[in-house]
Amino acid sequence: DAGVIQSPRHEVTEMGQEVTLRCKPISGHNSLFWYRQTMMRGLELLIYFNNNVPIDDSGMPEDRFSAKMPNASFSTLKIQPSEPRDSAVYFCASSRDRVGHTEAFFGQGTRLTVV
Amino acid sequence: GESVGLHLPTLSVQEGDNSIINCAYSNSASDYFIWYKQESGKGPQFIIDIRSNMDKRQGQRVTVLLNKTVKHLSLQIAATQPGDSAVYFCAEKSSGDKLTFGTGTRLAVRP
């Protein structure tokens, strides 16, 4: 299995531009998570989906952030308009519901820089 | 804006010694815990997990201990190697599949 695949690996964009981050979870996993990691706040959960349905988006910073999961093999996290304070590494992770074991597997992350 | 980042606690150990990394969790309802390792430039990687009905679980060179009374989790690494140098996170799950991560501990292995 290729693991969780994120694209792009690096993104540099100007303030005000729209940014779209992409994620392909591990096949067969039915939970998907978007995390943001910064030096200031560590690893923060933004939103997670179960069976393609958003379950908890309480970590989404504000209306500029939106996430979708149109099918079991693809999710996007969009920031519009982007701001310099959005600069961070964004991780996608997936897990499979199994009794007793629900570890999440992480992708390599997308390093976003907003200038 | 803020100018001070998270101050990660750092554990420095001699190669070959045992390492113990500690974590305090906050939610007494949490029923599942995971330790992750994150190397520079990579995503967190699963190491070992434990459910709340256990107090100890062993893997290859790693042991996780859970003390629910004081809400404390520890990761023990035997015979620490240079490749163990990384940031280690504990994570807790209290409802659904949502994992909440701690701030992390940096492990530095001295040759």
Side-chain angles (χ1 to χ4, degrees):
Chain A
D1 197 317
V4 175
I5 300 173
Q6 292 186 245
S7 64
R9 288 295 310 277
H10 302 273
E11 176 82 30
V12 180
T13 191
E14 291 185 345
M15 181 174 62
Q17 296 298 306
E18 177 180 294
V19 175
T20 299
L21 311 181
R22 298 173 176 78
C23 175
K24 182 182 187 318
I26 293 172
S27 177
H29 284 193
N30 60 356
S31 289
L32 182 140
F33 310 83
W34 282 101
Y35 285 89
R36 178 173 67 176
Q37 188 173 40
T38 62
M39 287 298 294
M40 299 294 181
R41 305 162 90 98
L43 201 58
E44 304 173 278
L45 177 66
L46 300 177
I47 184 171
Y48 84 96
F49 296 83
N50 184 259
N51 293 324
N52 312 338
V53 176
I55 303 300
D56 185 344
D57 65 353
S58 59
M60 295 287 261
E62 48 197 274
D63 292 344
R64 297 185 298 107
F65 285 69
S66 62
K68 293 182 180 179
M69 192 164 186
N71 57 61
S73 59
F74 185 65
S75 177
T76 59
L77 177 68
K78 185 177 292 187
I79 308 172
Q80 166 63 18
S82 58
E83 297 182 3
R85 61 193 167 118
D86 301 329
S87 297
V89 181
Y90 291 81
F91 288 104
C92 176
S94 69
S95 70
R96 177 169 51 201
D97 287 333
R98 281 189 296 160
V99 174
H101 296 86
T102 55
E103 67 265 29
F105 294 87
F106 282 75
Q108 295 279 55
T110 294
R111 181 174 294 278
L112 173 65
T113 304
V114 183
V115 298
Chain B
E2 295 178 81
S3 59
V4 178
L6 276 179
H7 175 67
L8 283 182
T10 298
L11 176 65
S12 180
V13 300
Q14 189 72 38
E15 181 179 355
D17 288 351
N18 296 335
S19 302
I20 300 177
I21 301 171
N22 296 303
C23 176
Y25 64 94
S26 56
N27 191 340
S28 57
S30 293
D31 60 1
Y32 179 68
F33 305 87
I34 307 177
W35 279 100
Y36 282 91
K37 171 186 180 183
Q38 187 176 22
E39 297 173 283
S40 181
K42 297 184 178 179
Q45 179 185 9
F46 171 86
I47 301 174
I48 191 167
D49 59 359
I50 188 168
R51 296 199 66 83
S52 58
N53 60 355
M54 303 172 68
D55 53 20
K56 180 179 180 179
R57 190 157 189 239
Q58 287 186 288
Q60 187 178 15
R61 279 202 310 121
V62 295
T63 300
V64 55
L65 299 177
L66 174 62
N67 185 330
K68 294 181 289 294
T69 302
V70 295
K71 292 187 286 188
H72 184 267
L73 198 64
S74 69
L75 177 71
Q76 300 179 1
I77 304 173
T80 312
Q81 302 169 0
D84 296 326
S85 294
V87 177
Y88 289 81
F89 294 94
C90 65
E92 61 182 299
K93 182 179 76 68
S94 56
S95 63
D97 270 332
K98 180 177 179 178
L99 283 175
T100 302
F101 282 77
T103 54
T105 297
R106 186 179 304 280
L107 176 64
V109 181
R110 303 188 303 273

